[in-house]
Amino acid sequence: MTSQSNDAADTFISVAHVASELFKAQSIAEELSITSKNARALAVRAGSTAAGFNEITRFIEGLSKLTIDAARSVNTIAISQTKIASDLFRAQGFIAKLDAVVYASKGTETDELKPIYDVVDERRQRLEGKIKVTLKELVDRLDETKMELRATQVVSVVSRVEASRAHEDFQNSLNSVADKVSSAGERINTHLERARRHLAHLRNR
Amino acid sequence: MKAISIFQKGSHQWLCFGRDPEKVEKIIDTNQYMISSGEQSIILDPGGIELFSQMLTSVLRYTTLDNIKALFASHQDPDIISSLGLWDQCLKNSKLYSPWLWESFIRHFGMNNIQYEPIPDEGSEMTLGNVTLQFIPAHYLHSSGNMHVYDKEAKILMSGDVGAALDEITAPFFVEDFDAHIPKMEYFHRRWMPSNKAKEEWISRVRRLEIDIIAPQHGGIFKGEMVNTFLDWFERLDVGIAKNK
């Protein structure tokens, strides 16, 4: 097995890991979406003292949607990238076999293999190029999502302020919403961090 | 690729992966199963090379590569195990359980890291986490060396090509209307299964097991009363219909 083939195998494994981390982030974002809907109902019941909270729930819903959308698009990129990497793995494997044929034939009777070699090698180069492009796309999308998710901590703090203004019967429930938002934000970030780490060593090549 | 849980009790879980909307049109749709117990998982009939990327991505949502202790190939067909060479790059210290008959054939798919565990003709058992899985002989259904997987605790029989149907990609995971399902599986069974004798032996063996779910490698899964309805139907079916002239 060549080191190039190992790199390709490493790529499809790492990218599949990225997709799985984003899938987990998506599940948390879906929970966050339910939290936001419950919070909206709570804010309505709490009446005018929780009017500010009602606005915040829209923002929470937006964050949840953002994560779900990001997870979906990263998943699409990741599946396509895993496919490209496994195709590359196969192309590299094929080239290694052809090299073995050329070596075994000691340079004779291999002329007709040359065009095949060239076609596959061209395909290999194209796949390598595609991997670089989609890898960059993947990293950019992750960084963008991470940046946008910084807002969750702000939302959590503002939620606590708004909760303190609401009628005391609702304060505990509204604080619990703030806790959930904060925890969801942290957990989503952890998955994004892990996804980023899976990509870091690929980008350093 | 979609995934559903068909059994769960604590850490003991059966997942079915399939109905892949991104599948290439002319490739037959397949069901892949993953059983997990404790920290260990096994993938049953992991599938062809063309759906490896979707499968790897889907599997990692539920387990880690380190926890995949084994693969199982019911027989040697490409839609069952041609992805082996790629799994071989991902899995360390993992085993492939498959009929002994196919070892020297299956190795053609590429196998440097995974260890082949040949299953004898009479079947055998393996321990996965806290559960015991039985390999049940299903020779000539349709392959000459063929095994199914029975999980006594989950009461699930993974039946390879037995019960297989050419379902639409949008079809539900479980068979809901047996009569409507027959046209999707009748020709497949009559043409692919070569021996009525083998079929009868298998039915008699399987009827002795307690089964809630029959999980085939293609098409809808049989659950509850559908299990016996399927066995009765299969018992009546005349198989091995191809003529040589």
Side-chain angles (χ1 to χ4, degrees):
Chain A
M1 191 60 56
T2 66
S3 66
Q4 274 188 331
S5 299
N6 285 335
D7 284 355
D10 207 15
T11 302
F12 63 66
I13 295 169
S14 297
V15 176
H17 275 298
V18 170
S20 106
E21 292 297 341
L22 265 291
F23 176 77
K24 287 166 193 161
Q26 184 179 336
S27 307
I28 299 166
E30 280 158 4
E31 281 171 33
L32 192 60
S33 172
I34 296 168
T35 301
S36 145
K37 287 185 178 86
N38 290 341
R40 196 175 303 160
L42 193 64
V44 170
R45 277 172 44 220
S48 59
T49 58
F53 208 94
N54 203 10
E55 278 309 306
I56 291 168
T57 61
R58 286 184 223 287
F59 202 71
I60 300 172
E61 183 62 39
L63 285 175
S64 138
K65 190 175 175 311
L66 173 98
T67 311
I68 292 169
D69 289 349
R72 283 186 186 142
S73 84
V74 166
N75 194 45
T76 307
I77 302 169
I79 286 178
S80 130
Q81 173 111 350
T82 315
K83 174 96 180 66
I84 298 166
S86 50
D87 285 351
L88 178 60
F89 175 78
R90 287 156 75 183
Q92 287 169 341
F94 181 72
I95 287 171
K97 304 280 182 212
L98 279 188
D99 284 343
V101 173
V102 171
Y103 180 77
S105 333
K106 298 187 172 60
T108 58
E109 297 168 10
T110 53
D111 284 355
E112 61 181 314
L113 291 181
K114 178 79 171 60
I116 302 171
Y117 187 99
D118 289 347
V119 167
V120 180
D121 198 43
E122 195 260 322
R123 177 170 161 71
R124 178 188 62 77
Q125 288 175 34
R126 213 173 49 238
L127 290 169
E128 281 175 352
K130 261 190 186 175
I131 281 190
K132 278 189 187 134
V133 171
T134 47
L135 202 54
K136 184 175 181 315
E137 220 178 307
L138 207 50
V139 171
D140 289 350
R141 192 74 180 95
L142 282 177
D143 287 349
E144 203 179 290
T145 312
K146 211 164 167 336
M147 190 80 97
E148 287 169 339
L149 276 173
R150 282 183 186 167
T152 48
Q153 291 315 313
V154 179
V155 172
S156 169
V157 172
V158 177
S159 299
R160 279 182 222 288
V161 173
E162 288 298 331
S164 69
R165 287 180 189 159
H167 189 279
E168 61 182 18
D169 289 353
F170 295 96
Q171 281 186 4
N172 283 345
S173 304
L174 292 170
N175 273 324
S176 145
V177 170
D179 290 343
K180 281 182 184 163
V181 173
S182 167
S183 146
E186 277 170 26
R187 285 185 296 147
I188 289 172
N189 253 320
T190 304
H191 290 298
L192 292 178
E193 276 295 330
R194 284 189 194 149
R196 198 66 175 75
R197 277 203 296 275
H198 281 297
L199 291 177
H201 72 286
L202 295 179
R203 292 205 86 197
N204 292 335
R205 279 186 193 144
Chain B
M1 182 174 284
K2 293 178 191 162
I4 58 158
S5 172
I6 60 172
F7 172 85
Q8 175 135 36
K9 190 178 171 191
S11 71
H12 182 191
Q13 185 179 35
W14 274 71
L15 287 162
C16 174
F17 303 93
R19 303 290 192 267
D20 183 9
E22 287 159 49
K23 177 185 72 66
V24 180
E25 197 188 343
K26 287 195 175 174
I27 288 178
I28 189 168
D29 189 44
T30 47
N31 297 330
Q32 290 69 232
Y33 297 93
M34 183 167 76
I35 313 172
S36 298
S37 173
E39 297 282 296
Q40 300 191 340
S41 300
I42 180 171
I43 304 175
L44 312 181
D45 286 356
I49 205 162
E50 284 298 329
L51 53 83
F52 169 77
S53 39
Q54 294 91 316
M55 192 52 197
L56 177 63
T57 309
S58 303
V59 158
L60 288 179
R61 292 171 177 174
Y62 303 96
T63 189
T64 63
L65 288 174
D66 284 344
N67 286 352
I68 301 174
K69 297 299 176 196
L71 304 175
F72 163 80
S74 58
H75 59 290
Q76 82 293 3
D77 275 353
D79 62 324
I80 301 285
I81 190 65
S82 67
S83 57
L84 180 64
L86 295 169
W87 285 109
D88 191 63
Q89 294 300 308
C90 309
L91 305 179
K92 308 285 172 247
N93 307 315
S94 192
K95 293 177 176 176
L96 169 68
Y97 289 84
S98 197
W100 70 271
L101 193 65
W102 296 120
E103 176 167 0
S104 56
F105 292 73
I106 282 179
R107 284 186 181 276
H108 279 282
F109 290 127
M111 203 172 126
N112 296 311
N113 300 312
I114 296 173
Q115 183 191 331
Y116 199 100
E117 281 289 325
I119 306 173
D121 277 348
E122 65 275 21
S124 62
E125 289 186 349
M126 72 166 286
T127 303
L128 181 82
N130 306 314
V131 296
T132 300
L133 301 175
Q134 294 174 31
F135 299 121
I136 307 286
H139 306 309
Y140 301 106
L141 294 173
H142 64 88
S143 169
S144 44
N146 212 121
M147 288 287 161
H148 293 165
V149 178
Y150 178 61
D151 179 339
K152 192 177 177 183
E153 196 178 320
K155 297 180 187 164
I156 298 177
L157 176 72
M158 188 278 187
S159 62
D161 279 322
V162 176
L166 306 175
D167 251 338
E168 295 294 317
I169 209 94
T170 50
F173 271 95
F174 289 94
V175 175
E176 291 168 355
D177 179 343
F178 191 82
D179 289 338
H181 197 62
I182 291 174
K184 298 174 188 171
M185 59 179 178
E186 185 168 350
Y187 179 74
F188 180 83
H189 285 79
R190 298 192 73 203
R191 181 66 175 83
W192 259 260
M193 305 295 163
S195 159
N196 280 313
K197 183 168 173 268
K199 179 197 76 170
E200 282 153 19
E201 279 176 8
W202 179 84
I203 290 173
S204 135
R205 190 176 303 125
V206 161
R207 282 206 196 275
R208 289 197 290 272
L209 305 172
E210 207 179 342
I211 299 174
D212 283 349
I213 288 176
I214 287 184
Q217 196 238 342
H218 305 279
I221 298 168
F222 302 92
K223 187 175 184 183
E225 61 184 24
M226 291 289 179
V227 168
N228 270 326
T229 309
F230 169 72
L231 292 176
D232 292 344
W233 171 83
F234 192 36
E235 199 161 34
R236 289 191 302 270
L237 196 72
D238 184 31
V239 301
I241 58 166
K243 301 275 184 273
N244 283 315
K245 54 182 178 179

